[in-house]
Amino acid sequence: MSGTLYVCATPIGNLNDISKRLRDTLEMADLIAAEDTRHSGKLLSYLGIEKPCISYFTHNRRGHGEVILAALLEGKNVVLMSDAGTPAISDPGEELVADCAAQNIPVIAVPGPCAAIAGLVVSGLPTGRFVFEGFLSTQRKGRMERLAELQYEKRTMIFYEAPHKLVRTLTDFVDTFGTERKISLCREMTKLHEETLRMTMGEALQYFTENVPRGEFVLIVGGTEEKPAEWEEMTIEAHFSMLLEDGMSKMDAVKKVAAERGIPKRDVYDRVMK
Ligand code: SAM
């Protein structure tokens, strides 16, 4: 019989967030798959636990994923953990869980800290419906394409960002969402210098242009509060025709329909150029 993969969340800064269940699961595991074995080694030595460890990160996930699957198929219980927070959330894990599912290997979550959810719940923005976007592309083209898809998003949006890229990202946010859109910037959560800034997008850009961003950030962006646009009630073809009637060229209309609906230009083109 196969063992079980335990997907274990670990603290995002405060070791008091270690749950009893996390400790118990680490104690009974036969193998620990960690994003960075040195980093996780510190958590294990804090808990006084010694276990065989294997690294599992983006660039070795194929090779080491095979070793981990073989261990599970031999009946070993394996813990998957990342450097901080919940594995598979902007961290390695998704593929390993999918491989386990494909081979009927049981997967159990040991839930706990996740910066995205911690930021969302203190943001003061609507929590009923939200969308997790993680890190935006480092390439401007990819970044702006993704943001164009989100321009009319009504749900609250969650992003991760590194401090040295924050001003660049806020600049792109202002270009996409405008200066008045609400944003909550959650910094160093669960740590000594924890702070949540609730501002408009324009204020956030000005503040972090004047004050160097430090520490880790989750950015929570409010969804659009604008009334639904006319096109939202229309088919793609009617939307396209409306733009042509307004005097737009066919290619510009294809681009605009795709951007407003958050769908690929190719899909619009195939529908309207038939
Ligand atoms: N899997 C993790 C989770 O569940 O939160 C996220 C890993 S991702 C590689 C790291 C990003 O999470 C950071 O760049 C930052 O955006 C966010 N983050 C992690 N810890 C944080 C903290 N204590 N305060 C604010 N943001 C944090």
Side-chain angles (χ1 to χ4, degrees):
M1 210 176 76
S2 71
T4 297
L5 178 71
Y6 291 87
V7 181
C8 291
T10 56
I12 56 169
N14 190 327
L15 291 177
N16 287 327
D17 288 334
I18 294 172
S19 69
K20 174 161 188 324
R21 187 153 173 252
L22 171 62
R23 185 189 289 259
D24 292 348
T25 308
L26 288 167
E27 266 166 5
M28 70 77 181
D30 301 304
L31 176 66
I32 294 176
E35 189 183 3
D36 177 340
T37 50
R38 273 175 309 171
H39 187 97
S40 297
K42 289 184 196 150
L43 181 82
L44 293 172
S45 70
Y46 172 81
L47 294 172
I49 295 172
E50 271 186 48
K51 292 282 170 174
C53 289
I54 180 169
S55 66
Y56 182 72
F57 53 85
T58 309
H59 298 295
N60 73 5
R61 67 184 192 281
R62 291 235 168 75
H64 283 201
E66 301 271 310
V67 177
I68 295 164
L69 282 175
L72 285 159
L73 289 168
E74 269 171 29
K76 295 200 167 116
N77 288 317
V78 178
V79 159
L80 172 67
M81 59 200 272
S82 54
D83 288 352
T86 302
I89 301 297
S90 293
D91 266 340
E94 182 183 318
E95 287 181 8
L96 185 57
V97 171
D99 289 343
C100 286
Q103 302 207 37
N104 287 324
I105 296 168
V107 181
I108 299 276
V110 178
C114 175
I117 298 299
L120 175 68
V121 298
V122 298
S123 67
L125 293 166
T127 56
R129 295 181 71 215
F130 60 87
V131 50
F132 176 67
E133 287 293 325
F135 292 99
L136 286 166
S137 169
T138 50
Q139 308 299 314
R140 183 168 162 81
K141 186 169 176 282
R143 208 162 61 238
M144 295 316 283
E145 277 174 6
R146 172 56 64 90
L147 287 175
E149 288 172 13
L150 294 171
Q151 189 174 6
Y152 299 100
E153 176 60 62
K154 294 192 189 88
R155 294 168 292 180
T156 302
M157 292 162 267
I158 309 175
F159 298 88
Y160 285 156
E161 194 48 286
H164 62 284
K165 295 186 191 143
L166 183 68
V167 170
R168 179 199 73 184
T169 296
L170 290 175
T171 306
D172 295 342
F173 279 178
V174 165
D175 286 348
T176 306
F177 303 116
T179 52
E180 297 313 306
R181 186 70 71 91
K182 289 179 187 155
I183 180 168
S184 295
L185 303 102
C186 308
R187 189 174 85 83
E188 294 287 87
M189 293 198 321
T190 79
K191 302 183 195 173
L192 186 62
H193 298 293
E194 174 161 2
E195 184 176 36
T196 299
L197 300 166
R198 302 178 184 91
M199 304 173 149
T200 65
M201 207 58 93
E203 287 166 346
L205 177 57
Q206 185 177 349
Y207 181 85
F208 283 105
T209 304
E210 291 164 5
N211 300 277
V212 178
R214 291 208 170 82
E216 299 195 274
F217 283 86
V218 181
L219 311 176
I220 315 289
V221 177
T224 180
E225 291 170 9
E226 283 170 23
K227 289 206 196 82
E230 206 182 338
W231 61 260
E232 288 189 56
E233 313 283 318
M234 296 178 172
T235 61
I236 290 178
E237 290 83 351
H239 186 181
F240 175 74
S241 301
M242 178 182 76
L243 297 176
L244 294 189
E245 278 161 26
D246 287 348
M248 201 173 268
S249 73
K250 284 186 181 170
M251 284 323 294
D252 284 349
V254 166
K255 278 189 212 155
K256 187 153 181 177
V257 170
E260 287 186 333
R261 290 176 176 260
I263 57 175
K265 289 193 283 278
R266 164 65 49 198
D267 291 358
V268 180
Y269 190 87
D270 288 348
R271 285 275 286 270
V272 300
M273 296 298 189
K274 266 191 274 170

